Amino acid sequence: MRWLLAVTLCGCAAHPGVADHPAPPAAALRVDATKPPGDIVVALSGGANALWWDATSSVLYLTDSNTSSLLTWTDAEGIREVCSLPADAAGVSLGGIVRRSDGTLLIASFGFGTQGGMFAVTSGAASALTGLEPTRRRVGLAQGADGAIYSAYFVGSRGKPPVGGIATIAVAGTSATETEIASGFHKVVGLVATPNAVVVSDQTDRAIYKIEIPGYAVSRIASAPTVDLLAMLPNGDLLTGGGPTISRITQAGQVSTLLGGFEQVRGIAYDAAGKRLFVVDHSVTVGLPDKLRVIHLDAR
């Protein structure tokens, strides 16, 4: 199977009150199309979602909701468990990962509308953060250049579209304070930070939005066939999944299909030094394991 697919453009309804961004021609990434889906394929115990690549130590971090644990993957050791999360985290579906300047890892919790929150991991020990609204289903986390922590959340209501927003999270010890900076979204899940903005994906709208910092002005920058968690390439382009393909979104708003042949793409991370793309490929067949795919990608 060849993995370099044709360019696909998609239109979608805009965020209320925000105009579409024009889409100039895209420049293709250099993909090794001679290799099968994943140079390395690792079967996971299940429930994998977000990824975070630690370029300093060459370690990939991932969450496993089925075992309520934080895992790592390295070339030398494969998958290893860092720690189990608190018992009340069992089955709540874990999300994004960031690391603060003091070394503490923060992990978002989806919570299915009753246990949404965050967990802090320090020196291999995990604790639940108090003070956060449990009805907020948190998936995406990002950290700004100034150390600010951003969270994407939404609140579900049976029979109605979800209502979502973006907030900053201030952590002090084992407690956290949440301050909303942007609202009016629906099912927001993916989140990345740039020096002067945060970028979020909305699954209901199938759209990507940018929130300027400071000021928090919102603009819609692109639509894609499906969206999920986000990853950023060294040149500022974005990657997202949510279905059997990975879409690439340029800074100018051009959308193209980069890779295909997956079952359902969730977390994505990129190793710039090693020119590798890490992908959580979620199994759509009950009982079959999710997979971590490590794909050669020269993202120039």
Side-chain angles (χ1 to χ4, degrees):
M1 176 186 296
R2 292 181 63 85
W3 273 55
L4 184 58
L5 303 183
V7 170
T8 302
L9 299 180
C10 173
C12 189
H15 189 275
V18 180
D20 288 348
H21 196 289
L29 291 174
R30 295 184 59 188
V31 179
D32 188 342
T34 66
K35 295 185 179 296
D39 302 323
I40 300 172
V41 181
V42 181
L44 302 170
S45 62
N49 196 8
L51 299 175
W52 177 65
W53 174 249
D54 182 359
T56 302
S57 58
S58 296
V59 173
L60 182 71
Y61 286 84
L62 59 158
T63 53
D64 186 335
S65 295
N66 282 11
T67 60
S68 297
S69 58
L70 176 66
L71 310 175
T72 58
W73 178 87
T74 63
D75 293 285
E77 298 182 335
I79 296 288
R80 293 177 62 90
E81 181 178 297
V82 176
C83 65
S84 294
L85 296 174
D88 61 353
V92 300
S93 188
L94 303 172
I97 308 165
V98 297
R99 185 171 63 193
R100 300 172 62 195
S101 58
D102 63 2
T104 300
L105 292 166
L106 300 178
I107 302 169
S109 168
F110 184 77
F112 295 101
T114 60
Q115 299 182 66
M118 291 177 61
F119 302 94
V121 177
T122 304
S123 302
S127 59
L129 297 179
T130 62
L132 297 175
E133 173 55 53
T135 62
R136 291 186 171 183
R137 306 182 183 201
R138 298 172 180 84
V139 182
L141 282 181
Q143 184 168 215
D146 60 355
I149 304 296
Y150 299 92
S151 169
Y153 73 87
F154 64 94
V155 177
S157 178
R158 183 167 298 186
K160 297 180 181 180
V163 177
I166 309 300
T168 57
I169 306 287
V171 179
T174 58
S175 65
T177 303
E178 190 170 32
T179 304
E180 188 173 89
I181 63 170
S183 60
F185 301 100
H186 294 111
K187 189 179 179 181
V188 285
V189 290
L191 193 62
V192 295
T194 73
N196 57 5
V198 291
V199 181
V200 61
S201 60
D202 189 320
Q203 285 189 331
T204 301
D205 296 350
R206 292 184 295 168
I208 310 295
Y209 299 100
K210 180 172 68 173
I211 304 167
E212 302 286 350
I213 298 173
Y216 307 132
V218 177
S219 60
R220 177 183 174 278
I221 60 175
S223 296
T226 58
V227 300
D228 205 281
L229 295 169
L230 294 169
M232 182 172 288
L233 296 174
N235 67 353
D237 290 353
L238 300 169
L239 301 179
T240 192
T245 62
I246 295 176
S247 295
R248 171 204 175 206
I249 301 99
T250 69
Q251 295 182 69
Q254 177 78 21
V255 179
S256 60
T257 300
L258 175 66
L259 299 173
F262 302 97
E263 291 192 72
Q264 187 182 79
V265 176
R266 289 190 172 175
I268 306 174
Y270 186 65
D271 168 16
K275 297 181 175 58
R276 299 181 298 179
L277 188 69
F278 303 100
V279 180
V280 170
D281 191 2
H282 173 67
S283 175
V284 297
T285 303
V286 176
L288 294 183
D290 293 351
K291 297 178 178 65
L292 170 65
R293 298 190 181 274
V294 185
I295 304 163
H296 174 74
L297 178 67
D298 189 356
R300 297 182 181 179

